[in-house]
Amino acid sequence: MAKTPQNNTPSPETAAGDDAALSSTRRPLERRAFLRGAALAGAGGAALAAPAIAQERIEMTIVSTWGRDFPGLGTSAQRLAARIPEITDGRIQTEYFASKERVDTFDVFDHTAEGKAQAYIGADYYWKGSHPAWAYFTAVPFGLTFPEIDAWMRFGGGQELMDEVGDDFGIKGFPCGNTGVQMGGWFRKEVETADDLADLTMRIPGLGGDVMAKLGVATVSLGGTEIFENLNNGQIDATEWVGPWNDEALKLYQAARYYYYPGMHEPGAQLSMGMNKSWWSSLNPTDQALIEAACGEENSRQVAETNWRNGAALQRLIDDHGVELREFSDEIYESFGEAAEEVFDEVRQHSALANKVHESFLEARQSVGNWMSLADVAYSNKRNAVLGL
């Protein structure tokens, strides 16, 4: 408990002679009496405050779309769940459930919206069937990289639009992670032209899946824990997941040989913590600010960790597992672009809100993207060319 500063400057009346001697004798006695009283008052105050603190303890159940201890996605979600009690000094206690430990992977949204859990951690493009605008807060084809989407969310109106979309579903969300630029996917056979994509069955969610469907691909949505088995037994011909670090953990190299890049579908896949809005509104402003801070901290931490680990994982995939790295041809990428425009047209026709989100996205891609091409992209290209990287 902070103590009130004491004024120890002698007054003129006690500054000399016997008065000064009396004062010097009395002052330690008075100070000891004051400290005894303060200690008693503090003990009594603590006893009175203890029940109040206990009553303020808040339980927060978090459900996730990621498998437990899965490197990157799973460990990031678990780290965030553990961070909230730390940052709130134990006032908010979290109970974390990985995918299928409490509900199925794609049921976490409804589970949270209905108030059966206080929050989910996942990728919001999984909910595009409820509203296509959700996809923009994870990733869309030919969309935003991490620096671009981070700028849009923080300063370009992205967070406000996320709140507006969430209002209709009783959800309040914040970005809480990012996987960076993703790989194009794993294919059991080579694809050299757009015609080679036709009749394939591929696991690819979001609007990226809609793009592939325009090109004749049969698309399916599978949780991470289901991908390897379906790819390995031939139920699907191809899959995207994340990038070398996460893909190596799923052992996708055992089921497919060809690893394509770059992914047009998720150039900076943002992950989110979505909270039941009624529960969120019941929190005091301090707890709200602390949860937002924890999400922001993990948002930066996860993308940094992913970028750090991807390079070494890619080298292992090539050197140790015989994976063949392939770049999508220009012809295939152009077909992706044409199909993406058709998908965007359909999104814009869905609703005024979907069109509003898309227009804001386009503005961010234009303004931030132009700067990035002159800054980060131009620099890294020049640097790598000079150094032979």
Side-chain angles (χ1 to χ4, degrees):
M1 180 176 68
K3 295 184 179 68
T4 303
Q6 303 298 307
N7 183 0
N8 294 322
T9 304
S11 66
E13 290 79 12
T14 61
D18 292 340
D19 288 342
L22 178 61
S23 176
S24 64
T25 302
R26 181 182 297 144
R27 191 171 294 114
L29 295 174
E30 290 174 343
R31 178 171 176 77
R32 284 196 292 272
F34 169 78
L35 291 173
R36 283 197 301 272
L40 290 171
L48 290 173
I53 292 173
Q55 289 172 4
E56 288 176 0
R57 176 173 165 138
I58 299 167
E59 303 294 335
M60 182 181 185
T61 298
I62 302 172
V63 289
S64 173
T65 58
W66 317 124
R68 183 167 292 276
D69 297 328
F70 185 80
L73 297 170
T75 54
S76 172
Q78 290 163 220
R79 188 163 55 205
L80 175 56
R83 181 61 172 151
I84 290 172
E86 292 177 350
I87 204 170
T88 61
D89 199 23
R91 190 166 54 257
I92 299 179
Q93 291 294 313
T94 58
E95 186 175 16
Y96 176 85
F97 294 92
S99 172
K100 298 188 177 181
E101 291 181 353
R102 180 163 173 150
V103 293
D104 286 342
T105 300
F106 300 119
D107 292 337
V108 302
F109 181 88
D110 289 340
H111 198 68
T112 301
E114 293 165 4
K116 296 174 183 176
Q118 281 71 55
Y120 68 80
I121 298 175
D124 280 339
Y125 66 2
Y126 288 152
W127 333 130
K128 78 176 184 67
S130 298
H131 198 295
W134 279 117
Y136 290 79
F137 306 112
T138 299
V140 297
F142 295 87
L144 307 176
T145 63
F146 170 71
E148 293 168 340
I149 197 170
D150 198 41
W152 178 54
M153 292 298 296
R154 294 176 184 270
F155 297 101
Q159 181 65 61
E160 291 77 10
L161 288 169
M162 187 183 198
D163 292 343
E164 191 172 347
V165 174
D167 280 345
D168 289 341
F169 299 90
I171 294 292
K172 167 64 179 180
F174 290 114
C176 70
N178 198 293
T179 63
V181 180
Q182 294 197 4
M183 293 291 282
W186 295 84
F187 290 77
R188 290 164 61 90
K189 65 178 184 179
E190 290 184 90
V191 289
E192 297 178 349
T193 69
D195 290 340
D196 294 334
L197 296 171
D199 299 326
L200 293 181
T201 299
M202 183 176 186
R203 182 269 180 195
I204 178 169
L207 297 186
D210 294 344
V211 167
M212 298 300 279
K214 296 284 185 186
L215 298 175
V217 177
T219 63
V220 297
S221 291
L222 297 170
T225 57
E226 304 170 289
I227 294 175
F228 175 80
E229 180 181 357
N230 281 271
L231 185 63
N232 194 48
N233 65 23
Q235 292 297 307
I236 57 176
D237 305 301
T239 184
E240 65 80 44
W241 182 227
V242 182
W245 180 36
N246 298 121
D247 295 4
E248 181 187 38
L250 277 188
K251 298 185 178 180
L252 297 178
Y253 56 85
Q254 294 181 355
R257 180 179 179 183
Y258 302 103
Y259 200 23
Y260 277 83
Y261 75 96
M264 58 82 190
H265 60 301
E266 296 186 42
Q270 179 175 270
L271 311 175
S272 300
M273 171 178 274
M275 288 163 284
N276 178 278
K277 191 172 181 181
S278 295
W279 178 82
W280 166 261
S281 299
S282 72
L283 301 178
N284 65 51
T286 298
D287 288 337
Q288 289 180 344
L290 290 171
I291 290 175
E292 182 178 2
C295 289
E297 177 184 74
E298 187 57 36
N299 194 48
S300 299
R301 180 176 290 173
Q302 191 202 16
V303 72
E305 182 180 24
T306 301
N307 282 331
W308 177 255
R309 296 185 185 278
N310 269 342
L314 178 61
Q315 204 62 49
R316 288 193 299 271
L317 289 172
I318 295 171
D319 294 343
D320 300 342
H321 302 296
V323 169
E324 297 194 27
L325 198 61
R326 294 285 189 272
E327 183 177 2
F328 282 127
S329 68
D330 290 344
E331 190 260 346
I332 287 179
Y333 233 75
E334 288 169 4
S335 69
F336 287 159
E338 293 170 1
E341 289 305 314
E342 293 181 36
V343 171
F344 285 142
D345 285 342
E346 293 169 0
V347 169
R348 299 176 77 165
Q349 293 170 20
H350 175 272
S351 62
L353 180 55
N355 185 62
K356 181 179 179 181
V357 172
H358 182 76
E359 289 294 325
S360 180
F361 152 77
L362 288 180
E363 182 180 354
R365 190 174 64 177
Q366 176 76 22
S367 60
V368 185
N370 279 348
W371 163 243
M372 294 295 293
S373 68
L374 294 173
D376 295 44
V377 176
Y379 164 72
S380 61
N381 286 342
K382 293 287 188 183
R383 179 198 64 192
N384 293 355
V386 169
L387 300 179
L389 298 177

